[in-house]
Amino acid sequence: MADYAETSLVRGLSFLAERQAAIANNLANVDSSAYKRRLSVAQPQRGFDSMLGREMESIAYAERVDRQAGTLRETGHQFDVALDAKDWLRVQDDQGKTFYTRNGQLQVGVNGYLQTRTGRQVLDAAGQPISLGNAETLPPEIRISPNGTISNPANNQTWGPIGLVQIPEPAALLPVGGGLYVDPANQRTTTGGDGVQQGFLEGSNVDSLQELVAMITVERNFAATQRALTGLGRIKDNLVSNILR
């Protein structure tokens, strides 16, 4: 029984350490556009048979992403776009690998392609990169309509539209850093809505005060678990001493 208690307490310490790391990561990204906070989840872990023959639960650490949309903020930048709550941008890297993101902080690269701030090319509705031309031909003013169509108001030339997609099970997406996600399940996406807002960005959904309170709670729980583990060790020592008398 003592061995089970020690195992449970040690796993509890491990869980609290992982949770603290997740909170720290959330606080570090409080100002990152479209960042989704990480939530720590204690999952039951079965498989330990106690001395009484009853199955007792322990816990294992897991993480999920809080999909709640962040607050929109106006930037006035013509290549900044905020998306509808269910929409995603589809982007790709130089090797053609596909990612999904809600970070609409876009720019035109030196090669004339519309891309994210990290250099991933934004794809159109047909899954192709969007070329707006070189620096000499790029119009000074660009308009992006709610459905993602990019246009030059001076001559009505259009590009795109930006490929807005909706993912059936967004919880299956895995974050890979930089506001990018991959889809290991390769889900079939559907066309997104008409919710693009030019000149706005979605903010992080992290509440810094909430995260600080959670951090203090974790620290207190960690200290209490350590004391319980120390106390359990003393009980075992006393039992051994009494038996040997």
Side-chain angles (χ1 to χ4, degrees), residues 19-20 22-24 26-27 30 37-40 64 66 68 204-218:
R19 186 181 181 194
Q20 189 81 314
I23 293 171
N26 289 339
L27 287 171
V30 68
R37 63 189 290 257
R38 298 182 182 180
L39 299 176
S40 305
R64 63 182 178 88
D66 182 358
Q68 183 178 356
S204 165
N205 67 354
V206 175
D207 183 333
S208 57
L209 180 59
Q210 179 184 4
E211 297 299 322
L212 287 171
V213 171
M215 180 173 287
I216 293 172
T217 301
V218 168

Side-chain angles (χ1 to χ4, degrees), residues 103-238:
N103 187 348
Q105 199 170 19
L106 308 180
Q107 63 184 6
V108 178
V110 293
N111 55 5
Y113 285 96
L114 185 66
Q115 61 184 28
T116 66
R117 290 298 176 91
T118 56
R120 270 69 174 187
Q121 292 182 341
V122 179
L123 303 182
D124 63 15
Q128 299 299 317
I130 301 173
S131 176
L132 301 179
N134 54 42
E136 290 75 18
T137 61
L138 184 68
E141 182 182 359
I142 285 290
R143 291 181 183 172
I144 304 176
S145 68
N147 70 352
T149 298
I150 305 169
S151 63
N152 176 4
N155 59 10
N156 294 323
Q157 182 182 3
T158 61
W159 299 269
I162 296 172
L164 303 172
V165 298
Q166 294 185 358
I167 301 170
E169 295 293 338
L173 299 179
L174 297 179
V176 293
L180 299 174
Y181 294 79
V182 295
D183 182 16
N186 195 26
Q187 302 174 68
R188 184 183 296 274
T189 60
T190 56
T191 303
D194 296 337
V196 175
Q197 297 187 56
Q198 184 181 17
F200 288 81
L201 283 177
E202 178 188 357
S204 165
N205 67 354
V206 175
D207 183 333
S208 57
L209 180 59
Q210 179 184 4
E211 297 299 322
L212 287 171
V213 171
M215 180 173 287
I216 293 172
T217 301
V218 168
E219 290 176 350
R220 290 177 176 174
N221 288 342
F222 196 93
T225 305
Q226 282 183 316
R227 289 194 297 270
L229 190 58
T230 301
L232 182 61
R234 290 174 179 170
I235 291 174
K236 290 180 66 177
D237 291 342
N238 289 335

